Amino acid sequence: KQWPLSAVVALTLGTNPVLAADWARIAIGQPPPAAQAATDPATRWYRCHVRPPEAMVTPQEKDLWRDSMTLGFRGVSGTLAVWLNGHKIIESGPLPAGQAARFKVPKDILEKDTFNTFVVRWQGPGAAAGFPEPPLFAGYFDELPLGPEWEVTDSEPAAGELQPRRQRPSTAAY
């Protein structure tokens, strides 16, 4: 039997394989697959995994690296909510079309030597079209375009699907 990616992740993590979301892989710049059972076709959930450079996760005496972390989006209209490793870190108001948006990422949420999980709930007419370009995770010196692939679902993910991973997911950006 072919298991959906979400069930494989759940089994790997030792959580209940009956999960809320059925994630599909997408390439940034390409529209996601058509909604299968969307309760609101203008809402999509996007997920990616990243293992950041050590400077982004290791405290320093002058912590410019971790104090300067941001997550930026271009070409996104509507409202966004972003979770990092299960912690809600961003709740935007309406974002106008055609403008860039950058948000501060709190320190002490990223985990060292782990594939950290970003999950974005995107609401608005642009959500169905997907990201036109990769979101940019940046620190004082490092910029990490989060791509080329993400995962997408029309169903609200379970809490276990928001958590970091020890083993590299197939869609990990870094």
Side-chain angles (χ1 to χ4, degrees):
K1 176 176 178 170
Q2 179 105 1
W3 288 82
L5 180 60
S6 56
V8 172
V9 168
L11 292 171
T12 302
L13 294 173
T15 59
N16 184 346
V18 180
L19 299 175
D22 187 16
W23 298 94
R25 292 172 75 150
I26 60 159
I28 296 295
Q30 300 295 315
Q36 295 175 1
T39 55
D40 179 358
T43 300
R44 290 265 166 90
W45 296 79
Y46 293 86
R47 177 173 70 177
C48 82
H49 308 279
V50 61
R51 188 169 66 185
E54 191 167 327
M56 288 183 158
V57 293
T58 304
Q60 306 290 322
E61 184 177 331
K62 292 188 178 187
D63 215 1
L64 293 176
W65 292 270
R66 296 182 332 136
D67 287 339
S68 303
M69 292 186 304
T70 60
L71 183 60
F73 298 90
R74 291 177 53 96
V76 175
S77 62
T79 61
L80 301 176
V82 179
W83 287 260
L84 173 56
N85 295 339
H87 301 275
K88 188 186 258 187
I89 61 168
I90 296 168
E91 183 82 43
S92 81
L95 302 174
Q99 292 187 2
R102 185 171 54 177
F103 303 95
K104 181 93 171 113
V105 174
K107 60 184 179 180
D108 297 328
I109 296 176
L110 284 173
E111 295 183 17
K112 185 177 180 178
D113 300 325
T114 300
F115 290 91
N116 293 265
T117 302
F118 282 102
V119 175
V120 178
R121 183 189 67 218
W122 183 357
Q123 296 176 298
F131 295 115
E133 58 186 79
L136 186 63
F137 180 51
Y140 193 72
F141 289 118
D142 299 301
E143 289 186 345
L144 307 175
L146 299 178
E149 290 187 319
W150 280 55
E151 297 166 309
V152 63
T153 186
D154 293 322
S155 304
E156 183 172 345
E161 296 173 288
L162 307 176
Q163 300 305 312
R165 310 287 187 251
R166 295 283 174 218
Q167 299 207 341
R168 182 183 180 91
S170 61
T171 55
Y174 295 91

